[in-house]
Amino acid sequence: MLVALFAGDGIGPEIMVEARRVLDALELDDLRYEEGLVGGAAYKAKGHPLPPETLDLAQRADAILFGAVGDFDCDGLERHLRPEQAILGLRKALTLFSNLRPAKVFPELADASALKPEVASAIDLLIVRELNGDVYFGEKGMRTTADGLREGYDVMSYNEAEVRRIAHSAFKAAQARRGKLCSVDKANVLETSQLWRDVVIEVSADYPDVELSHMYVDNAAMQLVRNPGQFDVIVTGNLFGDILSDQASMCVGSIGMLASASLDANGKGLYEPIHGSAPDIAGQGKANPMAMILSAAMMLRFSLGKAEAADRIEAAVAKALSQGARGADLGGSMITREIGDAVLAALA
Ligand code: IPM
Ligand code: MG
């Protein structure tokens, strides 16, 4: 099986190195790896954030392991050439519409959470974020109003088929967990959200064993810090899911700990940490590679049928944490390589 490795920008390459060391240590003989350029790195070398050869590799691969994209140098480029277009383009081109972002507290990290330990320790939730629609992919542009003012616009929309397919993903995820699904929207204000809610309710008829609730996104943001233990699976749109998943990450301790899977209808997936490229700390050894390493574990489990190897990685990360492996993001002093070493040692 072929795994595409897209390290990307900023801290992407340094955390990818650690994930690769962990994968190599597992000696999975039937996996082959091929590297590709994405993001600002690809723009600088090839003139495009998602060059055709990268897209081709993504299409050929059985799974994709992705670091991060985003580079200050590229902020002035036209939008279609910015690094972020690499990840957005891959999500769209490969129809990776279902983004699973689990957030669970490692017992060792309950004290690192921004929340009180007794509140944080109850977190075991999964955000199912829609990834192919919403304001991310609607018509957008800059125009001038009748009064001569500059105006930016981004159209938010979902059609019912898009909502239905993510709703099915979320209900199935809830069935495999504790059977609770909370759909997050802004139906009190947005038509997009009203349709979302109507369709989620229609789909719920197929899943009588799942307890469905609805919550407005502002309330959900509040509940995530007030009582996050109430959530099992949250399903939401692209924009709300982007925001809530960053919030959830700080509730469990650090954004450097959360992995994600972006899946198509057949289980092919792209796996990436939910954090970004953090260019401000790139190259300084300050990055926590654990989210990247845990993304590799998710890849083994969901796309490559290697649950046992995934279990080993996850157990090694937990063991390393319990032995005190912590970078700056968790109040420790280990550098990236040392954290990788600690995970490798725990794996052995
Ligand atoms: C994420 C990121 C991306 C997003 C960016 C890099 C385009 O924030 O995966 O959460 O907004 O989806
Ligand atoms: Mg984000």
Side-chain angles (χ1 to χ4, degrees), residues 286-310:
K286 288 185 184 161
N288 181 353
M290 284 182 169
M292 185 81 247
I293 293 169
L294 291 169
S295 298
M298 280 186 101
M299 172 179 81
L300 294 170
R301 185 185 312 283
F302 287 111
S303 286
L304 302 175
K306 296 189 181 296
E308 202 186 311

Side-chain angles (χ1 to χ4, degrees), residues 35-342:
E35 294 179 8
L37 287 169
V38 287
Y43 174 77
K44 285 171 185 167
K46 306 269 176 182
H48 195 279
L50 182 58
E53 55 272 32
T54 298
L55 186 55
D56 174 67
L57 169 55
Q59 266 148 353
R60 279 186 292 118
D62 296 287
I64 301 157
L65 195 58
F66 192 98
V69 288
D71 180 339
F72 293 145
D73 292 352
C74 298
D75 284 351
L77 293 173
E78 277 180 66
R79 185 161 303 280
H80 74 279
L81 294 175
R82 294 210 204 152
E84 291 75 12
Q85 296 306 311
I87 185 64
L88 297 175
L90 284 168
R91 289 171 182 171
K92 196 74 176 173
L94 302 180
T95 325
L96 306 170
F97 66 89
S98 179
N99 185 208
L100 310 180
R101 298 190 158 188
K104 185 173 178 187
V105 167
F106 284 91
E108 300 76 14
L109 293 185
D111 62 324
S113 167
L115 307 179
K116 294 191 197 94
E118 66 273 21
V119 177
S121 59
I123 302 176
D124 180 3
L125 60 86
L126 171 69
I127 297 180
V128 179
R129 171 190 176 195
E130 201 289 330
L131 217 48
N132 271 190
D134 203 352
V135 68
Y136 270 63
F137 292 100
E139 191 196 331
K140 58 179 75 239
M142 296 282 186
R143 61 192 169 199
T144 309
T145 67
D147 322 336
L149 297 176
R150 287 177 301 156
E151 183 173 70
Y153 62 97
D154 302 85
V155 176
M156 175 182 272
S157 69
Y158 266 121
N159 68 46
E160 57 181 309
E162 291 171 321
V163 181
R164 203 168 286 125
R165 71 181 175 183
I166 193 67
H168 280 291
S169 292
F171 276 106
K172 287 186 182 125
Q175 279 180 327
R177 291 174 49 102
R178 301 193 301 277
K180 280 174 61 184
L181 178 62
C182 178
S183 172
V184 170
D185 64 34
K186 188 71 186 171
N188 50 345
V189 178
L190 302 173
E191 285 298 286
T192 316
S193 282
Q194 187 59 56
L195 178 88
W196 176 281
R197 189 175 284 218
D198 293 347
V199 173
V200 169
I201 290 170
E202 285 160 27
V203 172
S204 70
D206 292 352
Y207 302 89
D209 50 334
V210 175
E211 181 195 319
L212 173 65
S213 61
H214 303 273
M215 200 179 276
Y216 297 138
V217 63
D218 49 350
N219 185 23
M222 193 260 282
Q223 296 296 338
L224 261 179
V225 292
R226 195 187 74 92
N227 175 20
Q230 72 187 282
F231 295 110
D232 179 15
V233 179
I234 291 174
V235 64
T236 191
N238 207 343
L239 181 63
F240 299 157
D242 180 43
I243 299 166
L244 292 179
S245 57
D246 268 34
Q247 190 185 344
S249 73
M250 277 322 284
C251 297
V252 303
S254 166
I255 194 160
M257 293 302 303
L258 287 208
S260 80
S262 304
L263 305 173
D264 73 3
N266 306 312
K268 174 161 172 173
L270 178 152
Y271 299 81
E272 59 173 331
I274 78 152
H275 62 67
S277 59
D280 52 322
I281 60 164
Q284 301 168 30
K286 288 185 184 161
N288 181 353
M290 284 182 169
M292 185 81 247
I293 293 169
L294 291 169
S295 298
M298 280 186 101
M299 172 179 81
L300 294 170
R301 185 185 312 283
F302 287 111
S303 286
L304 302 175
K306 296 189 181 296
E308 202 186 311
D311 288 344
R312 281 189 64 198
I313 294 181
E314 286 162 1
V317 168
K319 186 170 172 202
L321 280 171
S322 71
Q323 293 170 343
R326 291 180 185 210
D329 58 317
L330 292 169
S333 60
M334 279 192 177
I335 61 167
T336 311
R337 170 52 56 120
E338 291 168 336
I339 299 170
D341 286 342

